[in-house]
Amino acid sequence: MLEMKNISKSWKGNGEVLKDVSLSIQKGHSLGLVGPSGCGKSTLARILLCLEQADSGEIHYEGCKLNSGNKRQMKQYRRKVQYISQHPESFFDPNWKLGKSIREASFIHGLNTPELNEKIGSLLLGVHLNESVLERYPYQVSGGEIQRAALCRALLLEPEVLVLDEATSMLDISVQAQILNILKEIQKVRSLSFLFISHDAEVVTWFSKEILELKEGMLRKI
Ligand SMILES: Nc1ncnc2c1ncn2[C@@H]1O[C@H](COP(=O)(O)OP(=O)(O)OP(=O)(O)O)[C@@H](O)[C@H]1O
Ligand SMILES: [Mg+2]
């Protein structure tokens, strides 16, 4: 279980974006998060991923409080909890071909098995990407392609939780539906947990039974 406990966050000049926010994502479950643009959904996600520091509050994973000073704990957490950002290009080195970025993540986490290329091939197939994207730089692919490459890299690390922040918003409706179906399949097989963030309440409702709305810094169940 992944928990956020009493998180508050203010941005300079923006006031308090998150006010004593708590949530929990159960193993194998999908939690939806909706809210108007600028309400703080990505801020919440980035704090959950420890990419941003909260002003107060705690993150707990599998019963343990996360401590950013504990390198071993953070490395494991960074593999187990994967983030697909609404700005996927900022998670790729612009000077590296996508294939190198995708493989590097596996190397860092010691997952560079002899089957790595085969696994990458089948994941690319699953997200409807041609293998030729591996030989391209981030500026040489479309927004939808880099979003799917990010998804492929995340799944390669065999995460336990996926935080999807507008992760399919750049895709055509038909591709979006195919990818959401793939994610649902993976969820069943691997008992993956999701935090599914979107403006699009319809997509969130299709993906998650339990939905939270973030408004004026506070969460409520809808
Ligand atoms: N690093 C930052 N420094 C200052 N302000 C920030 C920073 N990051 C986000 N903000 C501000 O915090 C508010 C919430 O931003 P956030 O990106 O979390 O919203 P969001 O709900 O994800 O919006 P959207 O649905 O458009 O993606 C916005 O007003 C934004 O400008
Ligand atoms: Mg956002």
Side-chain angles (χ1 to χ4, degrees):
M1 182 161 64
L2 177 54
E3 292 173 287
M4 219 177 194
K5 295 188 180 182
N6 308 103
I7 295 285
S8 295
K9 176 75 181 174
S10 296
W11 290 119
K12 247 189 187 164
N14 236 330
E16 209 173 12
V17 177
L18 302 175
K19 299 175 185 167
D20 197 25
V21 161
S22 298
L23 60 78
S24 64
I25 308 166
Q26 308 288 333
K27 200 173 166 64
H29 285 238
S30 171
L31 179 66
L33 178 65
V34 295
S37 179
C39 71
K41 301 181 298 297
S42 297
T43 301
L44 184 154
R46 291 180 63 83
I47 290 174
L48 188 66
L49 270 292
C50 300
L51 297 172
E52 210 77 66
Q53 231 186 334
D55 300 334
S56 59
E58 297 172 355
I59 309 290
H60 289 235
Y61 189 56
E62 288 174 345
C64 295
K65 182 181 161 188
L66 292 186
N67 166 9
S68 56
N70 182 339
K71 284 192 178 156
R72 195 160 168 265
Q73 184 195 39
M74 287 313 295
K75 189 175 176 191
Q76 277 199 352
Y77 185 71
R78 295 208 184 286
R79 181 180 77 74
K80 288 180 175 176
V81 184
Q82 287 294 311
Y83 182 41
I84 310 296
S85 161
Q86 75 190 106
H87 304 291
E89 64 289 347
S90 59
F91 286 77
F92 284 91
D93 187 322
N95 299 311
W96 284 8
K97 290 180 179 171
L98 292 182
K100 183 172 175 184
S101 285
I102 289 173
R103 286 187 193 98
E104 182 70 8
S106 292
F107 293 160
I108 288 172
H109 292 285
L111 298 170
N112 47 333
T113 59
E115 301 83 37
L116 185 62
N117 282 339
E118 208 179 303
K119 274 170 90 178
I120 293 174
S122 76
L123 280 168
L124 288 174
L125 209 64
V127 297
H128 302 270
L129 269 185
N130 191 290
E131 284 204 18
S132 66
V133 296
L134 297 175
E135 294 306 317
R136 291 193 232 151
Y137 291 96
Y139 71 90
Q140 293 173 323
V141 292
S142 73
E145 284 167 340
I146 202 160
Q147 217 165 29
R148 281 176 282 167
L151 192 57
C152 177
R153 180 175 59 184
L155 291 173
L156 200 60
L157 299 179
E158 297 179 358
E160 293 173 0
V161 183
L162 259 188
V163 177
L164 300 163
D165 188 358
E166 307 283 359
T168 54
S169 56
M170 279 190 242
L171 308 175
D172 295 339
I173 299 248
S174 63
V175 180
Q176 187 176 11
Q178 284 168 0
I179 292 197
L180 293 177
N181 275 320
I182 290 165
L183 290 174
K184 270 205 165 173
E185 268 312 301
I186 293 170
Q187 182 180 31
K188 268 193 240 156
V189 176
R190 294 201 203 152
S191 173
L192 202 62
S193 312
F194 287 96
L195 176 62
F196 193 90
I197 302 172
S198 177
H199 292 95
D200 189 340
E202 205 176 312
V203 177
V204 179
T205 314
W206 182 80
F207 205 79
S208 315
K209 281 198 192 96
E210 194 189 346
I211 300 172
L212 299 174
E213 183 185 33
L214 181 63
K215 212 172 172 184
E216 292 164 6
M218 287 179 283
L219 284 176
R220 70 175 182 101
K221 270 194 177 185
I222 54 170

